[in-house]
Amino acid sequence: MDCVSPILDVATRLWDCTAKRAVYIRHLPQNLNSLRTAMGELKNLYKDVKERVEREEKLQKKRTHVVDGWLRNVEAMEEQVKEILAKGDEEIQKKCLGTCCPKNCGASYKLGKMVLEKMDAVTVKKTEGSNFSVVAEPFPSPPVIERPLDKTVGQDLLFGKVWKWLQDDGEQVSSIGLYGMGGVGKTTLLTRINNELLKTRLEFDAVIWVTVSRPANVEKVQQVLFNKLEIGKDKWEDRSEDERAEEIFNVLKTKKFVLLLDDIWERLDLSKVGIPPLNHQDKLKMVFTTRSKQVCQKMESTKSIEVNCLPWEEAFALFQTKVGADTISSHPDIPKLAEMVAKECDGLPLALITTGRAMAGAKAPEEWEKKIEMLKNSPAKFPGTEEDLFRVLAISYDSLPDEAKKSCFLYCSLFPEDYEISQRNLIQLWIGEGFLDEYDNLQEARNQGEEVIKSLQLACLLENGRSRFYVKEKYLKMHDVIREMALWLARKNGKKKNKFVVKDGVESIRAQKLKNGKRHRGYHCGIPTLKNLGNHHISLLWRPF
Ligand SMILES: Nc1ncnc2c1ncn2[C@@H]1O[C@H](COP(=O)(O)OP(=O)(O)O)[C@@H](O)[C@H]1O
Ligand SMILES: [Mg+2]
């Protein structure tokens, strides 16, 4: 008996093995069908997950590594299954099944086994795919985001002062207000501080930049902080302003950070936002910019510094770099004429760079004389005020070569102040308005739009917006003073006040109130299409056509 049992054991195992093989082979057609169906189901699931991922990515999120791996695996799996199914179909065609001719038996068995294994793998992937609760996460915000900055002149002293205060804990300077007229270089200085913080990596956990603009809005500032501070959505959505402020406060009170607020027009109640008191354990430093000294007082800044216009030497140097050395030296009379134009800019950087650009390439003295004549003749209502500045800035507008570019430029003032305009949307809107006309198809229209943008940028009438490293799209911005000039120009140099009205942050306007125009446009913040009236934060453009 002792010798028989091992033999029986072996025989049983052999039988089992053969039976299994036979099953693999016999059930091959059914198994192939099941695999086909399961793969179809997995493919549908794949499409659903992929659509979800793409939707989230449009909301500027990044797919998780797990989901990315899953999508890739399913793609590879689809190819493998296709191959197995093709082989299986071929095998069935050979009609070797059931009777199993010895030659092909081995191959059929192998294939049958592969089908079942793949089936298991497909089932696993199906389960995984159905269980993704999160497919994408917000991009982690780096502690400081670099902002675009051109070469600056004449701000070193001021920068040094602010920088020292930022570093120095001893002096107890917790908030610094930079004030000065529009276009004088406040945002530029703040940008330099932001970028320097990135370079030197002072010991701050976060540097937070918020462009406040008009109207100051607690909710908007809170939203920027929410994006930056990685506060959970569950603690944010459907919460009141006060509850959100509490969340912000709880995160910020544990961090050492710098808050950079650009373009404040009125007192912003920091406690309403959730920002801890400024002398709170010396953890917070704040630098803000404003056009008004009064705002500095209202914001109770520890130090207020005026950002002044450039002294003549630096002003003229800046002007000359924008005009270009070859234009300046192209005729012996030009340097003197250039001085006359630059003097009109009164050391204001924005005026210097825009008029400088407008004169770039003007190599005939007559061109310069014409511009000087224009400047003298266009009467400034109140010399020394912003209207006086617009008169100087308008040179760059007048120098635009055609009406299409002028209309495209004026149109940009329709967007809210400091708004980041998507280049693609802007061109579409221009096409819709009929400003672009030299095209046979849409692609040509888009190319023409891009050309217009290039010339407006070259004229310093449009600036680059902030690039977003996760989105390919380009963004543009209009300087707030340039926008004010555009509106002034659109109202026929301020003479016809009601011809062209843009109002920001209007909650509701009755169209009947504006009687004489034939057409109006509403621009809704955040949605890159023109919308009808009745929305919040609407910019309203009103002009007779
Ligand atoms: N010191 C400077 N050197 C060179 N360019 C400057 C300087 N200050 C400002 N600019 C340029 O002038 C324009 C207006 O400056 P900005 O900082 O936006 O003014 P503000 O914020 O005071 O309105 C910008 O295009 C900027 O690049
Ligand atoms: Mg500014």
Side-chain angles (χ1 to χ4, degrees), residues 87-140:
K87 272 190 194 158
D89 290 343
E90 202 181 303
E91 203 64 36
I92 292 168
Q93 288 259 316
K94 284 185 194 158
K95 296 203 175 80
C96 276
L97 299 157
T99 52
C100 189
C101 61
K103 204 171 144 203
N104 282 326
C105 236
S108 299
Y109 158 70
K110 256 197 201 161
L111 187 65
K113 193 166 176 240
M114 230 194 299
V115 170
L116 286 189
E117 280 169 0
K118 222 9 120 203
M119 185 73 200
D120 287 344
V122 168
T123 311
V124 170
K125 286 284 157 238
K126 268 170 57 187
T127 317
E128 286 173 3
S130 324
N131 288 335
F132 289 133
S133 53
V134 174
V135 295
E137 299 275 9
F139 277 92

Short mmCIF file of all heavy atoms in Angstrom, two decimals, residues 87-140:
data_model
loop_
_atom_site.label_atom_id
_atom_site.label_comp_id
_atom_site.label_asym_id
_atom_site.label_seq_id
_atom_site.Cartn_x
_atom_site.Cartn_y
_atom_site.Cartn_z
N LYS A 87 -5.71 36.43 -31.21
CA LYS A 87 -5.14 35.07 -31.22
C LYS A 87 -6.21 34.04 -30.94
O LYS A 87 -6.28 32.99 -31.57
CB LYS A 87 -4.05 34.97 -30.15
CG LYS A 87 -2.70 35.38 -30.63
CD LYS A 87 -1.68 35.00 -29.58
CE LYS A 87 -0.36 35.70 -29.85
NZ LYS A 87 0.45 35.78 -28.66
N GLY A 88 -7.09 34.34 -29.97
CA GLY A 88 -8.17 33.43 -29.60
C GLY A 88 -9.08 33.18 -30.77
O GLY A 88 -9.45 32.02 -31.06
N ASP A 89 -9.45 34.25 -31.46
CA ASP A 89 -10.35 34.10 -32.61
C ASP A 89 -9.71 33.21 -33.67
O ASP A 89 -10.35 32.35 -34.28
CB ASP A 89 -10.70 35.47 -33.20
CG ASP A 89 -11.60 36.26 -32.26
OD1 ASP A 89 -12.19 35.61 -31.35
OD2 ASP A 89 -11.70 37.49 -32.40
N GLU A 90 -8.41 33.40 -33.82
CA GLU A 90 -7.67 32.61 -34.80
C GLU A 90 -7.70 31.12 -34.41
O GLU A 90 -7.95 30.24 -35.22
CB GLU A 90 -6.24 33.12 -34.82
CG GLU A 90 -5.46 32.82 -36.07
CD GLU A 90 -4.05 33.39 -35.91
OE1 GLU A 90 -3.93 34.61 -35.65
OE2 GLU A 90 -3.11 32.60 -35.98
N GLU A 91 -7.50 30.90 -33.11
CA GLU A 91 -7.46 29.55 -32.57
C GLU A 91 -8.80 28.85 -32.82
O GLU A 91 -8.85 27.69 -33.22
CB GLU A 91 -7.18 29.64 -31.07
CG GLU A 91 -6.60 28.43 -30.43
CD GLU A 91 -5.21 28.08 -30.98
OE1 GLU A 91 -4.45 29.01 -31.27
OE2 GLU A 91 -4.93 26.87 -31.13
N ILE A 92 -9.86 29.60 -32.58
CA ILE A 92 -11.19 29.01 -32.75
C ILE A 92 -11.44 28.67 -34.21
O ILE A 92 -11.99 27.63 -34.55
CB ILE A 92 -12.28 29.95 -32.20
CG1 ILE A 92 -12.15 30.03 -30.68
CG2 ILE A 92 -13.68 29.50 -32.58
CD1 ILE A 92 -12.94 31.12 -30.03
N GLN A 93 -10.96 29.54 -35.05
CA GLN A 93 -11.10 29.32 -36.50
C GLN A 93 -10.49 28.00 -36.91
O GLN A 93 -11.00 27.31 -37.78
CB GLN A 93 -10.38 30.44 -37.25
CG GLN A 93 -11.08 31.77 -37.18
CD GLN A 93 -11.85 32.07 -38.44
OE1 GLN A 93 -11.33 31.84 -39.52
NE2 GLN A 93 -13.09 32.48 -38.29
N LYS A 94 -9.40 27.67 -36.26
CA LYS A 94 -8.69 26.44 -36.65
C LYS A 94 -9.48 25.21 -36.27
O LYS A 94 -9.12 24.09 -36.60
CB LYS A 94 -7.32 26.41 -35.97
CG LYS A 94 -6.31 27.33 -36.60
CD LYS A 94 -4.99 27.10 -35.93
CE LYS A 94 -4.02 28.22 -36.27
NZ LYS A 94 -2.97 28.33 -35.29
N LYS A 95 -10.52 25.39 -35.53
CA LYS A 95 -11.44 24.33 -35.11
C LYS A 95 -10.74 23.17 -34.44
O LYS A 95 -11.06 22.01 -34.62
CB LYS A 95 -12.23 23.80 -36.33
CG LYS A 95 -13.12 24.84 -36.94
CD LYS A 95 -14.22 24.14 -37.70
CE LYS A 95 -15.22 25.09 -38.23
NZ LYS A 95 -14.90 25.78 -39.41
N CYS A 96 -9.70 23.48 -33.74
CA CYS A 96 -8.99 22.43 -33.03
C CYS A 96 -9.61 22.14 -31.69
O CYS A 96 -9.16 21.29 -30.95
CB CYS A 96 -7.54 22.84 -32.82
SG CYS A 96 -6.58 22.48 -34.24
N LEU A 97 -10.56 22.95 -31.31
CA LEU A 97 -11.06 22.83 -29.96
C LEU A 97 -11.88 21.56 -29.77
O LEU A 97 -12.42 21.02 -30.71
CB LEU A 97 -11.89 24.05 -29.64
CG LEU A 97 -11.05 25.32 -29.73
CD1 LEU A 97 -11.93 26.51 -29.97
CD2 LEU A 97 -10.21 25.46 -28.49
N GLY A 98 -11.98 21.14 -28.51
CA GLY A 98 -12.77 19.93 -28.20
C GLY A 98 -11.99 18.70 -28.56
O GLY A 98 -11.53 17.98 -27.70
N THR A 99 -11.72 18.50 -29.83
CA THR A 99 -10.98 17.29 -30.23
C THR A 99 -9.49 17.44 -29.96
O THR A 99 -8.77 16.49 -29.86
CB THR A 99 -11.18 17.02 -31.73
OG1 THR A 99 -10.85 18.23 -32.39
CG2 THR A 99 -12.60 16.60 -32.03
N CYS A 100 -9.05 18.62 -29.89
CA CYS A 100 -7.68 18.96 -29.52
C CYS A 100 -6.61 18.16 -30.24
O CYS A 100 -6.11 17.15 -29.76
CB CYS A 100 -7.51 18.80 -28.01
SG CYS A 100 -5.94 19.45 -27.46
N CYS A 101 -6.23 18.62 -31.41
CA CYS A 101 -5.14 17.94 -32.09
C CYS A 101 -3.84 18.23 -31.34
O CYS A 101 -3.61 19.35 -30.90
CB CYS A 101 -5.05 18.38 -33.54
SG CYS A 101 -4.75 20.11 -33.72
N PRO A 102 -3.04 17.19 -31.10
CA PRO A 102 -1.91 17.30 -30.19
C PRO A 102 -0.97 18.45 -30.52
O PRO A 102 -0.40 19.08 -29.63
CB PRO A 102 -1.18 15.96 -30.34
CG PRO A 102 -2.07 15.09 -31.16
CD PRO A 102 -3.13 15.90 -31.77
N LYS A 103 -0.84 18.74 -31.81
CA LYS A 103 0.13 19.76 -32.22
C LYS A 103 -0.20 21.14 -31.61
O LYS A 103 0.66 21.86 -31.14
CB LYS A 103 0.10 19.86 -33.74
CG LYS A 103 1.38 20.42 -34.31
CD LYS A 103 1.33 20.26 -35.80
CE LYS A 103 2.01 21.47 -36.44
NZ LYS A 103 1.53 21.65 -37.80
N ASN A 104 -1.52 21.44 -31.64
CA ASN A 104 -1.92 22.77 -31.20
C ASN A 104 -2.39 22.83 -29.76
O ASN A 104 -2.69 23.89 -29.26
CB ASN A 104 -3.04 23.31 -32.07
CG ASN A 104 -2.47 23.80 -33.39
OD1 ASN A 104 -1.36 24.31 -33.42
ND2 ASN A 104 -3.20 23.57 -34.44
N CYS A 105 -2.49 21.62 -29.17
CA CYS A 105 -3.04 21.56 -27.83
C CYS A 105 -2.29 22.48 -26.85
O CYS A 105 -2.91 23.22 -26.10
CB CYS A 105 -2.96 20.13 -27.33
SG CYS A 105 -4.57 19.57 -26.86
N GLY A 106 -0.94 22.38 -26.91
CA GLY A 106 -0.12 23.19 -26.01
C GLY A 106 -0.42 24.66 -26.17
O GLY A 106 -0.65 25.38 -25.19
N ALA A 107 -0.48 25.13 -27.42
CA ALA A 107 -0.71 26.55 -27.69
C ALA A 107 -2.08 26.98 -27.19
O ALA A 107 -2.23 28.02 -26.56
CB ALA A 107 -0.59 26.81 -29.20
N SER A 108 -3.11 26.14 -27.44
CA SER A 108 -4.47 26.48 -27.00
C SER A 108 -4.53 26.58 -25.49
O SER A 108 -5.17 27.47 -24.94
CB SER A 108 -5.48 25.43 -27.45
OG SER A 108 -5.49 25.36 -28.82
N TYR A 109 -3.84 25.64 -24.84
CA TYR A 109 -3.85 25.64 -23.39
C TYR A 109 -3.24 26.95 -22.85
O TYR A 109 -3.81 27.61 -22.01
CB TYR A 109 -3.07 24.42 -22.88
CG TYR A 109 -2.58 24.60 -21.48
CD1 TYR A 109 -3.48 24.61 -20.41
CD2 TYR A 109 -1.23 24.79 -21.21
CE1 TYR A 109 -3.03 24.80 -19.11
CE2 TYR A 109 -0.77 24.99 -19.92
CZ TYR A 109 -1.68 24.99 -18.87
OH TYR A 109 -1.24 25.20 -17.60
N LYS A 110 -2.07 27.29 -23.46
CA LYS A 110 -1.38 28.51 -23.01
C LYS A 110 -2.28 29.73 -23.18
O LYS A 110 -2.40 30.57 -22.30
CB LYS A 110 -0.12 28.72 -23.88
CG LYS A 110 1.13 28.36 -23.18
CD LYS A 110 2.28 28.98 -23.95
CE LYS A 110 3.57 28.27 -23.61
NZ LYS A 110 4.58 28.52 -24.63
N LEU A 111 -2.93 29.76 -24.34
CA LEU A 111 -3.81 30.89 -24.64
C LEU A 111 -4.97 30.95 -23.65
O LEU A 111 -5.30 32.00 -23.10
CB LEU A 111 -4.33 30.75 -26.07
CG LEU A 111 -5.12 31.93 -26.59
CD1 LEU A 111 -4.25 33.16 -26.70
CD2 LEU A 111 -5.71 31.61 -27.97
N GLY A 112 -5.57 29.76 -23.42
CA GLY A 112 -6.70 29.69 -22.48
C GLY A 112 -6.32 30.20 -21.11
O GLY A 112 -7.07 30.94 -20.47
N LYS A 113 -5.09 29.84 -20.71
CA LYS A 113 -4.63 30.26 -19.40
C LYS A 113 -4.44 31.80 -19.36
O LYS A 113 -4.84 32.48 -18.42
CB LYS A 113 -3.30 29.56 -19.12
CG LYS A 113 -2.86 29.67 -17.70
CD LYS A 113 -1.74 28.69 -17.41
CE LYS A 113 -1.25 28.89 -16.00
NZ LYS A 113 0.13 29.24 -15.92
N MET A 114 -3.87 32.29 -20.47
CA MET A 114 -3.63 33.73 -20.57
C MET A 114 -4.94 34.51 -20.49
O MET A 114 -5.03 35.55 -19.85
CB MET A 114 -2.96 34.01 -21.92
CG MET A 114 -1.73 34.85 -21.75
SD MET A 114 -1.13 35.52 -23.25
CE MET A 114 -0.72 34.28 -24.31
N VAL A 115 -5.99 33.95 -21.16
CA VAL A 115 -7.29 34.63 -21.17
C VAL A 115 -7.81 34.78 -19.75
O VAL A 115 -8.23 35.86 -19.33
CB VAL A 115 -8.31 33.87 -22.04
CG1 VAL A 115 -9.72 34.42 -21.87
CG2 VAL A 115 -7.91 33.92 -23.50
N LEU A 116 -7.72 33.68 -18.98
CA LEU A 116 -8.23 33.75 -17.61
C LEU A 116 -7.42 34.70 -16.74
O LEU A 116 -7.96 35.44 -15.94
CB LEU A 116 -8.28 32.36 -17.00
CG LEU A 116 -9.41 31.48 -17.54
CD1 LEU A 116 -9.51 30.20 -16.73
CD2 LEU A 116 -10.76 32.20 -17.49
N GLU A 117 -6.09 34.68 -16.95
CA GLU A 117 -5.26 35.59 -16.16
C GLU A 117 -5.58 37.04 -16.47
O GLU A 117 -5.69 37.90 -15.59
CB GLU A 117 -3.77 35.32 -16.44
CG GLU A 117 -3.26 34.12 -15.68
CD GLU A 117 -1.88 33.67 -16.16
OE1 GLU A 117 -1.32 34.32 -17.09
OE2 GLU A 117 -1.40 32.67 -15.62
N LYS A 118 -5.75 37.31 -17.77
CA LYS A 118 -6.06 38.69 -18.18
C LYS A 118 -7.40 39.11 -17.61
O LYS A 118 -7.60 40.25 -17.20
CB LYS A 118 -6.08 38.74 -19.70
CG LYS A 118 -5.47 39.88 -20.44
CD LYS A 118 -4.65 40.86 -19.72
CE LYS A 118 -3.24 40.95 -20.21
NZ LYS A 118 -2.26 41.45 -19.33
N MET A 119 -8.32 38.14 -17.63
CA MET A 119 -9.65 38.41 -17.10
C MET A 119 -9.55 38.88 -15.64
O MET A 119 -10.20 39.85 -15.24
CB MET A 119 -10.44 37.09 -17.18
CG MET A 119 -11.85 37.18 -16.80
SD MET A 119 -12.75 38.01 -18.08
CE MET A 119 -14.14 38.46 -17.11
N ASP A 120 -8.69 38.17 -14.87
CA ASP A 120 -8.51 38.56 -13.46
C ASP A 120 -7.95 39.97 -13.38
O ASP A 120 -8.41 40.80 -12.59
CB ASP A 120 -7.53 37.61 -12.76
CG ASP A 120 -8.18 36.25 -12.51
OD1 ASP A 120 -9.43 36.20 -12.60
OD2 ASP A 120 -7.45 35.28 -12.24
N ALA A 121 -6.94 40.24 -14.25
CA ALA A 121 -6.30 41.57 -14.21
C ALA A 121 -7.31 42.66 -14.57
O ALA A 121 -7.35 43.73 -13.94
CB ALA A 121 -5.12 41.60 -15.17
N VAL A 122 -8.17 42.39 -15.57
CA VAL A 122 -9.17 43.38 -15.98
C VAL A 122 -10.14 43.64 -14.82
O VAL A 122 -10.49 44.78 -14.53
CB VAL A 122 -9.92 42.91 -17.25
CG1 VAL A 122 -11.15 43.77 -17.52
CG2 VAL A 122 -8.99 42.94 -18.46
N THR A 123 -10.51 42.55 -14.14
CA THR A 123 -11.45 42.71 -13.01
C THR A 123 -10.84 43.59 -11.92
O THR A 123 -11.50 44.46 -11.37
CB THR A 123 -11.80 41.32 -12.41
OG1 THR A 123 -12.15 40.48 -13.49
CG2 THR A 123 -12.95 41.40 -11.43
N VAL A 124 -9.53 43.36 -11.65
CA VAL A 124 -8.87 44.18 -10.63
C VAL A 124 -8.91 45.65 -11.03
O VAL A 124 -9.25 46.54 -10.25
CB VAL A 124 -7.40 43.72 -10.44
CG1 VAL A 124 -6.62 44.70 -9.57
CG2 VAL A 124 -7.36 42.33 -9.81
N LYS A 125 -8.59 45.91 -12.30
CA LYS A 125 -8.55 47.31 -12.76
C LYS A 125 -9.94 47.93 -12.69
O LYS A 125 -10.09 49.12 -12.40
CB LYS A 125 -8.04 47.40 -14.21
CG LYS A 125 -6.57 47.18 -14.34
CD LYS A 125 -5.77 48.40 -13.88
CE LYS A 125 -4.37 48.03 -13.48
NZ LYS A 125 -3.92 48.34 -12.19
N LYS A 126 -10.96 47.12 -12.97
CA LYS A 126 -12.34 47.64 -12.91
C LYS A 126 -12.66 48.08 -11.47
O LYS A 126 -13.21 49.15 -11.24
CB LYS A 126 -13.35 46.59 -13.37
CG LYS A 126 -13.62 46.70 -14.87
CD LYS A 126 -14.41 45.54 -15.41
CE LYS A 126 -15.74 45.31 -14.75
NZ LYS A 126 -16.38 44.08 -15.21
N THR A 127 -12.28 47.22 -10.53
CA THR A 127 -12.56 47.56 -9.13
C THR A 127 -11.81 48.83 -8.75
O THR A 127 -12.37 49.74 -8.14
CB THR A 127 -12.10 46.42 -8.20
OG1 THR A 127 -12.49 45.19 -8.80
CG2 THR A 127 -12.67 46.55 -6.81
N GLU A 128 -10.52 48.91 -9.13
CA GLU A 128 -9.74 50.10 -8.78
C GLU A 128 -10.38 51.35 -9.36
O GLU A 128 -10.57 52.36 -8.69
CB GLU A 128 -8.31 49.99 -9.35
CG GLU A 128 -7.43 49.02 -8.60
CD GLU A 128 -6.08 48.82 -9.30
OE1 GLU A 128 -5.83 49.47 -10.36
OE2 GLU A 128 -5.31 48.00 -8.81
N GLY A 129 -10.75 51.25 -10.66
CA GLY A 129 -11.29 52.42 -11.36
C GLY A 129 -12.60 52.91 -10.77
O GLY A 129 -12.90 54.10 -10.82
N SER A 130 -13.40 51.98 -10.22
CA SER A 130 -14.70 52.40 -9.67
C SER A 130 -14.52 53.05 -8.30
O SER A 130 -15.45 53.65 -7.78
CB SER A 130 -15.65 51.22 -9.49
OG SER A 130 -15.49 50.32 -10.50
N ASN A 131 -13.32 52.89 -7.70
CA ASN A 131 -13.16 53.38 -6.32
C ASN A 131 -12.38 54.69 -6.19
O ASN A 131 -12.01 55.07 -5.10
CB ASN A 131 -12.44 52.31 -5.48
CG ASN A 131 -13.38 51.15 -5.22
OD1 ASN A 131 -14.59 51.32 -5.23
ND2 ASN A 131 -12.81 49.97 -5.02
N PHE A 132 -12.13 55.38 -7.32
CA PHE A 132 -11.39 56.64 -7.20
C PHE A 132 -12.32 57.73 -6.66
O PHE A 132 -13.24 58.15 -7.35
CB PHE A 132 -10.87 57.13 -8.55
CG PHE A 132 -9.75 56.30 -9.10
CD1 PHE A 132 -9.77 55.87 -10.42
CD2 PHE A 132 -8.67 55.94 -8.29
CE1 PHE A 132 -8.73 55.10 -10.92
CE2 PHE A 132 -7.64 55.17 -8.79
CZ PHE A 132 -7.67 54.74 -10.10
N SER A 133 -12.06 58.16 -5.42
CA SER A 133 -12.89 59.27 -4.95
C SER A 133 -12.25 60.59 -5.38
O SER A 133 -12.93 61.56 -5.67
CB SER A 133 -13.05 59.22 -3.43
OG SER A 133 -11.79 59.16 -2.83
N VAL A 134 -10.93 60.61 -5.46
CA VAL A 134 -10.23 61.83 -5.90
C VAL A 134 -9.39 61.47 -7.11
O VAL A 134 -8.68 60.48 -7.09
CB VAL A 134 -9.29 62.32 -4.77
CG1 VAL A 134 -8.45 63.50 -5.22
CG2 VAL A 134 -10.10 62.69 -3.54
N VAL A 135 -9.51 62.25 -8.17
CA VAL A 135 -8.69 61.95 -9.36
C VAL A 135 -7.63 63.01 -9.59
O VAL A 135 -6.67 62.79 -10.32
CB VAL A 135 -9.55 61.79 -10.63
CG1 VAL A 135 -10.46 60.59 -10.54
CG2 VAL A 135 -10.32 63.05 -10.95
N ALA A 136 -7.81 64.19 -9.02
CA ALA A 136 -6.82 65.26 -9.20
C ALA A 136 -6.79 66.14 -7.96
O ALA A 136 -7.77 66.28 -7.26
CB ALA A 136 -7.19 66.10 -10.41
N GLU A 137 -5.61 66.72 -7.73
CA GLU A 137 -5.43 67.57 -6.55
C GLU A 137 -4.98 68.96 -7.01
O GLU A 137 -4.36 69.07 -8.06
CB GLU A 137 -4.29 67.01 -5.67
CG GLU A 137 -4.52 65.63 -5.14
CD GLU A 137 -5.33 65.63 -3.85
OE1 GLU A 137 -5.84 66.70 -3.50
OE2 GLU A 137 -5.44 64.56 -3.23
N PRO A 138 -5.24 69.98 -6.20
CA PRO A 138 -4.73 71.30 -6.57
C PRO A 138 -3.21 71.28 -6.58
O PRO A 138 -2.60 70.52 -5.84
CB PRO A 138 -5.23 72.23 -5.46
CG PRO A 138 -6.20 71.44 -4.68
CD PRO A 138 -5.97 70.00 -4.93
N PHE A 139 -2.61 72.10 -7.46
CA PHE A 139 -1.15 72.20 -7.46
C PHE A 139 -0.68 72.76 -6.13
O PHE A 139 -1.28 73.71 -5.63
CB PHE A 139 -0.69 73.18 -8.55
CG PHE A 139 -0.61 72.54 -9.90
CD1 PHE A 139 -1.69 72.56 -10.75
CD2 PHE A 139 0.54 71.90 -10.30
CE1 PHE A 139 -1.62 71.97 -11.99
CE2 PHE A 139 0.62 71.31 -11.55
CZ PHE A 139 -0.46 71.35 -12.40
N PRO A 140 0.37 72.18 -5.56
CA PRO A 140 0.86 72.80 -4.33
C PRO A 140 1.45 74.16 -4.67
O PRO A 140 2.13 74.30 -5.68
CB PRO A 140 1.96 71.84 -3.87
CG PRO A 140 2.34 71.06 -5.08
CD PRO A 140 1.18 71.05 -6.01
#
